[in-house]
Amino acid sequence: MTTNKLETEKTTLKLEGMSCAGCANAIEKAISHVSGVEECEVNFAAEQATVQFNPQQTSVETITHAVENAGYGASVYSQNEMMAGRGDAEIVAREAESKDLIRKMTVGGVISIILIVGSLPMMTGLDIPFIPAWLHNYWLQFLLTTPVQFWCGYQFYRNAWKAFRHRAATMDTLIVLGTSAAYFYSLFATLFDDFLIQQGLTPQVYYESAAVIITLILVGRFMENRARGETSAAIRKLIGLQARSARVIRDGETKDIPIQDVQVGDVVVVRPGEKIPVDGEVIEGSSTIDESMVTGESIPVQKSAGEEVVGSTLNKTGSFQFRATRVGKDTVLSQIVQLVQQAQGSKAPIQKLADQVTGWFVPVVIAIALTTFLLWFNIMGNLTLALINMVAVLIIACPCALGLATPTSVMVGTGKGAENGILIKSAESLETAHKLQTVVLDKTGTLTEGKPSVTDFVTTFGTANQNELKLLRLVGLVEQQSEHPLAEAVVEYAKAQEVDLKGTVENFNAIAGSGVEATVSDRQVRVGTARWFEELGIQTDQFTEKASDWEADGKTVIWVAVDDTLEGIIALADTLKPSSADAVKSLRKLGLEVVMITGDNEKTASAIAQQVGIPRVMSQVRPDQKADHIVSLQQEGKTVAMVGDGINDAPALAQADIGLAIGTGTDIAITTSDITLISGDLQGIVTAIALSRATMTNIRQNLFFAFIYNVAGIPIAAGILYPIFGWLLNPIIAGAAMAFSSVSVLTNALRLRNFEDQVYSSPH
């Protein structure tokens, strides 16, 4: 029986001891086998596991114990601790690992150079006068190689042993088998050289191969460690934005306290140039705030009493006080970090192929290596060539590049999105966005500012007379009961005309997509659409022409009837966002079909759509019908994105292949969207899609490099070119190629940090 998602909990575990993608697969299997675990995703690049489980059947302790039983380490990744500034442990651990690798690389490098110089006469077949013969002494090379093999290479043996104990094989298994084969064969030749000569074999040693291979792999691990640290730079950058302390007023005193001690309701004082410590509402003073860290917008925003401020944004000019409304893990910054972490720890569908390959990769490579040895030994009768080619096959194979190809690009891509005010919920959303064919834009609050205002008011009594104000009072009293943006605009207009809006309203009723009705002073007042009035049998002919003219100008017209008699019409206009027209052009330049969806009638909708360059319009659509229109587009075979405000558009956002919610910083927790645009700027849609395309291109490049590397590298290492060209791959070169394959994938992924969206100036 499947557990209801509402009954489950989700936790993120920090993992230790992984050395390749095979380790990630082993951990994922171990966690998935725990009873009560619903979902598990292990991210090798992020070194973390995201686990959804039923707390009634299992616990975090049981899950971490399962990871430890598999031979790895696991600990709970605490959001609160990290946001309190104690998340630097990861950086410290990574630096400690780098220092250890540097020590071992230095020792291995010095010894490897000595061994290579001493082996040059043997490798080249030349007598090199300046190289003393004793430098190629087998026993000296044995003494020099042993610390490299077992001290520098200790981590490979340790990890390979862990995998063996759990009936698994990893990249470390291949490294240990390959270098050990070279080392112990060389030791055998050192101890029993006379025996080999008696058997007609030339005793040769490959100590330098074992030492150089281990050193090169350590160099690769060091570079990989540094590069993987850079993939999570976006998270560290976000965390670093947070203020460390806050100045609060308690018991009449102003005091500085640590950020984690701020409580909801505290009055916080902010001076010019300071970071706002937590989220809140301004209660005194005003200032301009740089909110670029959450919105990506560089222009400061004016804030005054009653307006919300976001924690970690920068106060520019004035001083003010605000009341804390969200602290700790509830702040906007914490939610951003949480969403970015969630996305970085998730898996893209394209990664499934790589996971399947790495699952059987190591056993297959071992089988190929053994086959290579047997073929060379039996066909050529040459133990030395058989050994060299077997070691080369074991060393050149690298599932790490496959395991890193997708998650590193996802980590950098989602981090880059966060820097631009784009919060991508999962790797799947990031991947799907590049397939989009149609983008549906809600009008109010998406294309427009969402703050309509009254532009015209006409009654059957004429204008500018007392009867008009009486009618406006009735309309204002009814609209006060509604939360619709148009209703708020009418109320504001009535107040501006100094109309008294005190009175009793009875039997208020809102009809979705039609209007509102109520009883005021025993008179029935209706405010709504012409279509609704026609359905009620109310005559609208008197104002049809004027309403048509207003609608042709892109205005929204609402009709007023009292006691089933038409008494007036009101025109409202909602200002288009400055970025709307350019964003639509950019979307069309990307080859996307752009559709506008609105509750406005066809004439008004078409006028607005024409202003921004949208050719296809869905008008007179009620909020509850928007999802059905998304379905109709999907039935046309299109991959559809819905862009809306995340409130009445929630069903449509959920139905679309990708739901993009327009947020304002405090709306980032919208659960129905796949991508949240913190800023209201529609250019964020273009950036999100362009970023998705760039990320997917990067992932395909990585997978191509990783697959081609192994498809071509393993046969060459096995000696496939020897019969044609007489070429054999030296194990040292194989080690260098393997060490840098992962680094090349990581370096390519890090190129995404240079992503810059192009703002197109002309339609497609």
Side-chain angles (χ1 to χ4, degrees), residues 440 595-599 605 616-621 629 632-633:
V440 180
V595 179
M596 188 181 84
I597 191 167
T598 178
R616 184 173 179 180
V617 179
M618 294 178 172
S619 59
Q620 294 183 299
V621 180
H629 282 73
S632 68
L633 288 170

Side-chain angles (χ1 to χ4, degrees), residues 398 401-403 405 701-711 745:
C398 184
L402 285 172
Q701 291 169 348
N702 284 347
L703 288 173
F704 175 80
F705 292 148
F707 274 113
I708 289 298
Y709 167 83
N710 284 291
V711 168
V745 166

Side-chain angles (χ1 to χ4, degrees), residues 209-229:
S209 293
V212 172
I213 287 168
I214 286 177
T215 302
L216 286 171
I217 293 171
L218 288 174
V219 171
R221 289 278 169 96
F222 171 74
M223 296 177 68
E224 181 182 320
N225 188 56
R226 294 288 296 270
R228 284 166 70 176

Side-chain angles (χ1 to χ4, degrees), residues 539-554:
Q539 293 295 321
T540 59
D541 296 345
Q542 183 175 352
F543 290 131
T544 299
E545 185 176 348
K546 183 171 288 293
S548 182
D549 292 340
W550 286 349
E551 288 167 352
D553 292 333

Side-chain angles (χ1 to χ4, degrees), residues 511 514-517 526-537:
I511 298 95
S514 297
V516 294
E517 59 183 359
R526 289 189 177 94
V527 184
T529 66
R531 184 180 60 181
W532 182 38
F533 279 24
E534 289 167 3
E535 290 172 356
L536 295 171

Side-chain angles (χ1 to χ4, degrees), residues 584-598:
V584 170
K585 289 178 183 178
S586 298
L587 288 170
R588 296 182 66 189
K589 185 69 175 179
L590 288 173
L592 297 165
E593 177 190 24
V594 183
V595 179
M596 188 181 84
I597 191 167
T598 178

